[in-house]
């Protein structure tokens, strides 16, 4: 089943936004006060949707969603059957094929699929016969219809409710901006006006994608790097776009998870996503004009807070626990002193995490993330090239090898002088850049050499990082009111690891 090769049909283009920290009970009233929406009459619907797939999730694997939607009251229900296909899955801006028709009742209707590519998906009907309910969504939708002077028409929908699967549920609190006519620029223009007063986050996963992950029991699982598939035939411009989009998706998805998750790995993976994104901007700078990238000045307070949270998490969960027994040395009083220190540090980490969540609720953060999303999707007002040429007679594979070789040379130069912590940290940063670059461009690089360089960078990052983690833990512990002997012990550990 290859949905990308199927005939093109009606297209759904929408921008999805999460609403971090908002009170659902007042959201509709809050949004209705935005000048853009205040002049328009809202329509309200109650929607119940059941999504279907085979037990082996054939549709999910092909990026296809099939649902039955009930609109209206129990007494006078209306039923709609919808087939959605395609979409990148790593951007808040999605473009998918969509076929929606009325059906007599709550049962799937094979006849209603005849005007869709279903026959290409399921030529013998075996998939349809195997379909069973997978999960459901129940939510109230408030709709504002916006007609712009340039002819663009956008439906702004506030959805509040929940996803239900396997006796689990997850809240829905999001905005969907669907383009009914005109250019996708209209979606971003309206989103920016909303983001002036309302905290938003780009939402990369559809309700269907969230439903599947909820059914699997991993809705809140941190998103790790998932480098896109690259081939030597791609242009440098398209390669750049795919790599940067995936990295930014990792960053923003984990920011969304942070709103409700205390899992230290969520913050870690958010920071990894951002570092990968910044590293890739350097890696691909030849394809980006010097003034083309959006500013992320408004993100700096949040990024600093995430760094602080990560330092606390590393100290609490990785650096300090293995040292407790050595400090106590069998003495119960010393063991209690260590335990008290760990408790105080954990409480400080919780306070720092709450500060990061508060930062996510600042409208300026969402506005900045929207600007980067728009730029990545090619709908930015910033000037970027339609196509970037490689050096004469140079292939994409040759370009990738040359860029990674340059990073390797920089790392070897940095390793000539690692006598002090600052120079060691500089070498560690270059090692990270090389590792991220190799992971992003893996299909374009020589396997053996890239694997060897990747291992070297990873080992170097860990070895230098271990000593640095102790130093950071000392800085954090020094701010607590604790027994001075704990600090003396940690300083001794740090000196021992630097030898």
């Amino acid at each position: 089943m290859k949905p990308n090769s199927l005939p093109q049909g009606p297209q759904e283009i929408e921008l999805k936004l999460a609403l971090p920290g908002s009170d659902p009970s007042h959201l509709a009233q809050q949004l209705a006060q935005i000048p853009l929406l205040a002049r328009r009459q809202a329509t309200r619907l109650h929607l119940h949707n059941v999504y279907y797939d085979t037990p082996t999730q054939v549709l999910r694997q092909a990026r296809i969603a099939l649902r039955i939607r009930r609109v209206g009251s129990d007494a006078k229900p209306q039923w709609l059957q919808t087939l959605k296909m395609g979409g990148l899955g790593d951007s808040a801006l999605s473009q998918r094929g969509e076929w929606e028709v009325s059906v007599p009742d709550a049962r799937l209707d094979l006849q209603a699929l005849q005007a869709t590519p279903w026959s290409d998906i399921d030529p013998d009907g075996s998939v349809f016969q195997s379909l069973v309910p997978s999960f459901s969504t129940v939510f109230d939708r408030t709709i504002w219809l916006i007609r712009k002077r340039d002819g663009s028409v956008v439906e702004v929908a506030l959805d509040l409710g929940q996803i239900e699967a396997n006796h689990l549920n997850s809240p829905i609190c999001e905005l969907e901006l669907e383009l009914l006519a005109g250019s996708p620029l209209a979606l971003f223009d309206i989103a920016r006006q909303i983001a002036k007063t309302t905290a938003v986050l780009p939402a990369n996963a559809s309700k269907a994608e969230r439903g599947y992950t909820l059914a699997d029991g991993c809705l809140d699982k941190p998103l790790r790097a998932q480098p896109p598939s690259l081939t030597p035939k791609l242009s440098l411009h398209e390669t750049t776009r795919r790599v940067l989009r995936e990295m930014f998706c990792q960053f923003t998805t984990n920011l969304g998870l942070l709103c409700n998750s205390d899992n230290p790995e969520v913050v870690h993976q958010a920071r990894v996503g951002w570092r990968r994104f910044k590293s890739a901007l350097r890696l691909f700078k030849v394809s980006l004009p010097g003034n083309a990238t959006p500013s992320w000045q408004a993100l700096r307070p949040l990024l600093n807070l995430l760094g602080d949270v990560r330092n606390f998490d590393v100290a609490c969960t990785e650096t300090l626990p293995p040292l407790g027994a050595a400090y106590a040395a069998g003495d119960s009083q010393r063991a209690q002193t260590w335990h008290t220190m760990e408790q105080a540090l954990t409480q400080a980490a919780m306070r720092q995490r709450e500060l990061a969540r508060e930062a996510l609720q600042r409208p300026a953060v969402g506005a900045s993330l929207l600007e980067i999303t728009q730029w990545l999707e090619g709908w930015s007002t910033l000037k970027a090239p339609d196509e970037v040429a490689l050096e004469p007679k140079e292939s994409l594979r040759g370009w990738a090898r040359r860029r990674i070789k340059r990073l390797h040379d920089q790392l070897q130069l940095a390793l000539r002088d690692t006598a002090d912590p600052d120079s060691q940290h500089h070498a560690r940063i270059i090692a990270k850049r090389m590792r991220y670059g190799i992971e992003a461009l893996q299909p374009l690089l020589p396997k053996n050499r890239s694997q060897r360089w990747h291992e070297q960078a990873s080992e170097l990052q860990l070895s230098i990082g271990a000593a640095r983690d102790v130093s950071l833990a000392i800085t954090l512990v020094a701010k607590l009111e604790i027994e001075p002997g704990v600090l003396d012990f940690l300083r001794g550990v740090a000196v021992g690891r630097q030898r």
Side-chain angles (χ1 to χ4, degrees), residues 53-103:
D53 205 339
T54 68
T56 56
Q57 298 186 346
V58 168
L59 299 188
R60 181 189 190 183
Q61 294 169 25
R63 305 193 66 80
I64 295 171
L66 179 62
R67 75 175 183 225
I68 292 287
R69 166 171 287 177
R70 187 188 72 191
V71 183
S73 65
D74 292 339
K76 295 183 178 181
Q78 294 178 304
W79 307 95
L80 296 171
Q81 180 172 286
T82 306
L83 175 70
K84 295 189 179 186
M85 301 176 60
L88 293 170
D90 59 359
S91 174
L93 181 70
S94 65
Q95 181 170 341
R96 299 175 291 185
E98 180 184 44
W99 296 262
E100 186 169 82
V101 294
S102 297
V103 290

Side-chain angles (χ1 to χ4, degrees), residues 10 52 56 100 155 208 230 237 265 404 423 427 444 478:
Y52 290 82
T56 56
E100 186 169 82
E155 180 184 274
L230 303 178
H237 178 66
E265 194 62 19
I404 298 301
S423 58
L444 307 174

